[in-house]
Amino acid sequence: SQFELYYQPKIDGRRNRMSGVEALVRWNHPRLGLVSPDSFIGLAERYGLIVRLGNWVLNEACRQVAAWSKEGTHMRVAINLSAIQLREPTLVDKVEEALRKHGVLGSQLLCEITESVAMQDMKITQRTFEGLSRLGVHLSIDDFGTGYSSLAQLRDLPARQLKIDRSFVKDLETKSDARAVVEAVIKLAHALNLTVVAEGVETLGQRDIVLQLGCDELQGFFYARPMRAGKILPWKFEQAANATRPADLATNFGTRF
Ligand code: C2E
Ligand code: CA
Ligand code: CA
């Protein structure tokens, strides 16, 4: 019972309000304190524990969405899937079972898969994506721009969303090539009917640029860091209240978290 899901808000760029959350696992280690997933996901994969951990994440995220529903908030949650989970033949059944058990709609769940993993074995990705799509679960290609997808592959996948890798967003204000890449990715995604998320938005300048380039959703420390489940609804309500006030107040708000 030492794992915990933190949640980071995703913001709808046009309406300036929360559109959902991404679940990010943490390990509350009795001696080491809060351990980041970058330190243990790779180990869990190597030692054959990722399927159990991934299943826990799936169920815990669904349980939390159901709890938010009881509090009157319809929430959409994104979970991250590892390569090994994607290859697991029973993944779709497990997702279906978790949705049923917690009474959550497929459309309330989104699965994020990194570009490099999604393109590793297109047959497997295609099969799993199609199974998940049948449940109404949305799919997102994470860390886009760091792998090697061909346009043909991208067009064939039943994905809904593409997340531009943080490294491009980071350089937006200083490097013109980063801006050109982000602009091209947004145009490409829209041509393929995908929504685009910019991740790792940390500054007002970055936010303004991605909004101007037509990005649909934004995520990053500029708005909020990942937080405990209990903080999400208060954050959402405060953000909504601030969004209706003058722009400068709404802007200052993001930096307090
Ligand atoms: P990711 O899926 O790309 O998640 C985004 C990471 O960027 C998160 O790190 C988040 O805290 C961080 N981040 C968000 N906004 C900003 C920002 O503005 N600036 C900066 N510098 N960082 C930002 P986190 O939580 O440490 O997660 C790291 C990675 O671990 C995730 O990258 C994901 O690949 C993996 N991960 C996390 N939870 C899970 C899980 O449940 N299952 C699997 N398989 N992988 C997970
Ligand atoms: Ca992710
Ligand atoms: Ca990412």
Side-chain angles (χ1 to χ4, degrees):
S1 304
Q2 291 173 8
F3 290 117
E4 180 176 358
L5 290 185
Y6 274 47
Y7 296 89
Q8 186 180 34
K10 283 182 170 173
I11 313 294
D12 176 330
R14 230 164 298 137
R15 295 196 274 183
N16 192 27
R17 60 174 199 223
M18 189 164 113
S19 53
V21 289
E22 177 176 0
L24 295 156
V25 71
R26 302 283 180 265
W27 182 357
N28 289 303
H29 193 282
R31 247 179 327 106
L32 303 173
L34 202 63
V35 183
S36 110
D38 281 331
S39 318
F40 63 84
I41 292 288
L43 290 170
E45 286 177 333
R46 193 160 354 129
Y47 293 100
L49 295 166
I50 192 68
V51 168
R52 272 166 67 198
L53 175 58
N55 210 30
W56 179 84
V57 168
L58 166 69
N59 275 278
E60 175 58 17
C62 288
R63 190 200 60 73
Q64 186 58 60
V65 166
W68 280 323
S69 284
K70 277 204 194 98
E71 292 185 61
T73 299
H74 180 88
M75 194 76 85
R76 179 177 289 171
V77 69
I79 57 170
N80 291 282
L81 294 184
S82 102
I84 294 169
Q85 284 176 281
L86 194 67
R87 269 188 250 127
E88 243 228 315
T90 59
L91 175 70
V92 176
D93 296 339
K94 282 181 178 156
V95 171
E96 187 171 20
E97 154 113 51
L99 293 171
R100 199 180 37 77
K101 183 171 161 200
H102 297 282
V104 168
L105 296 172
S107 58
Q108 287 180 282
L109 186 69
L110 191 142
C111 292
E112 297 191 1
I113 297 148
T114 60
E115 184 193 12
S116 49
V117 165
M119 304 304 166
Q120 250 167 32
D121 187 334
M122 275 300 283
K123 264 216 189 88
I124 288 173
T125 304
Q126 194 96 25
R127 194 189 58 207
T128 310
F129 271 36
E130 271 159 17
L132 291 174
S133 289
R134 271 197 298 277
L135 302 177
V137 173
H138 294 179
L139 296 146
S140 174
I141 309 285
D142 207 351
D143 300 344
F144 188 78
T146 58
Y148 313 86
S149 21
S150 76
L151 296 181
Q153 288 173 321
L154 205 56
R155 221 178 54 165
D156 281 347
L157 287 180
R160 288 281 191 117
Q161 185 180 82
L162 206 149
K163 295 184 84 175
I164 303 178
D165 191 61
R166 206 162 67 215
S167 57
F168 300 107
V169 176
K170 186 171 124 283
D171 291 337
L172 266 183
E173 288 170 291
T174 48
K175 297 197 178 128
S176 58
D177 58 342
R179 191 190 166 107
V181 170
V182 170
E183 187 168 11
V185 169
I186 292 172
K187 284 201 180 124
L188 170 71
H190 286 164
L192 294 172
N193 261 329
L194 299 166
T195 62
V196 191
V197 183
E199 61 175 18
V201 176
E202 291 185 353
T203 68
L204 182 62
Q206 291 165 352
R207 181 199 72 168
D208 289 347
I209 296 171
V210 293
L211 280 180
Q212 193 206 335
L213 295 177
C215 196
D216 305 291
E217 287 180 63
L218 289 76
Q219 191 182 349
F221 295 171
F222 174 74
Y223 290 99
R225 285 177 184 262
M227 57 184 98
R228 293 205 133 110
K231 287 194 171 169
I232 285 288
L233 293 189
W235 188 88
K236 179 180 154 77
F237 297 135
E238 204 182 341
Q239 202 258 356
N242 275 286
T244 57
R245 285 191 218 136
D248 56 336
L249 277 177
T251 298
N252 289 337
F253 174 78
T255 55
R256 289 215 317 269
F257 286 83

